[in-house]
Amino acid sequence: MSLQLKINTDLKEAMKAKQEPLLSTLRLLKADIQYELTKNGAQELNDEQIIVLIKRGYAKRTDAIQMYEKANRNDLADKEKSEAEILKSYLPPDVPEDQIIAAVEKFVVELGASGPKDIGKVMGKVMAEFKGANIDGSKVSAIVKSKLS
């Protein structure tokens, strides 16, 4: 089952069960998907494109959580946290840190990277290696910087 079909099915189920946080989050996600479909003139998005949309929505939620917590608006932060958890459930599992470290070490040797000037090259190779997987770019960046410093 494609991810787009799964989201549509879950949206219908959430409507029937009147699950409000899930329903509102899936409606926002469906609107993002519909916008991409209209923009591209496509009938359906592939799973990789939808994962990009979900990651974008997840990142927005995590940024909002930090801002709301700084402003002592825990009620809004909690709402954003629940939406972020719902979105995260549609993402593939995170890439384990040991796999990231192994890939970084492999590309450091392969590219002959020796210092901070090579961080971008190594980052590009590692991110390309895990394309389509759920990988945190900031975690990769930190690992690459620690290896090349």
Side-chain angles (χ1 to χ4, degrees):
M1 175 187 290
S2 76
L3 196 51
Q4 187 173 354
L5 190 58
K6 180 176 176 11
I7 291 168
N8 287 337
T9 304
D10 290 352
L11 180 63
K12 288 176 189 172
E13 293 299 318
M15 280 186 211
K16 290 177 185 175
K18 295 182 173 51
Q19 297 171 313
E20 187 44 45
L22 177 63
L23 183 59
S24 64
T25 305
L26 290 178
R27 280 183 173 154
L28 289 171
L29 181 56
K30 180 133 171 79
D32 290 342
I33 292 170
Q34 204 59 43
Y35 175 75
E36 283 296 314
L37 288 171
T38 305
K39 189 169 85 173
N40 297 336
Q43 291 293 321
E44 192 171 328
L45 297 176
N46 63 33
D47 286 354
E48 206 169 276
Q49 292 169 312
I50 293 177
I51 287 173
V52 168
L53 293 175
I54 295 170
K55 283 182 179 180
R56 193 178 302 150
Y58 182 77
K60 285 179 190 176
R61 290 342 180 268
T62 54
D63 290 345
I65 291 167
Q66 291 172 352
M67 285 189 264
Y68 287 141
E69 286 176 345
K70 283 181 186 175
N72 290 325
R73 293 294 310 265
N74 293 332
D75 55 328
L76 296 174
D78 291 341
K79 179 181 179 282
E80 294 292 332
K81 284 178 187 173
S82 70
E83 289 180 2
E85 286 303 311
I86 290 167
L87 289 176
K88 190 170 184 164
S89 71
Y90 288 95
L91 291 172
D94 290 340
V95 175
E97 192 168 331
D98 58 331
Q99 284 184 359
I100 297 171
I101 292 170
V104 167
E105 290 170 349
K106 177 179 100 174
F107 289 119
V108 165
V109 171
E110 187 178 299
L111 296 170
S114 59
K117 67 183 183 337
D118 297 321
I119 289 174
K121 292 178 194 173
V122 176
M123 279 284 299
K125 288 282 194 177
V126 172
M127 294 305 280
E129 173 91 3
F130 294 108
K131 185 170 173 63
N134 192 17
I135 187 165
D136 183 11
S138 60
K139 186 187 290 186
V140 174
S141 177
I143 293 169
V144 171
K145 285 176 184 174
S146 71
K147 294 287 182 191
L148 295 178
S149 295

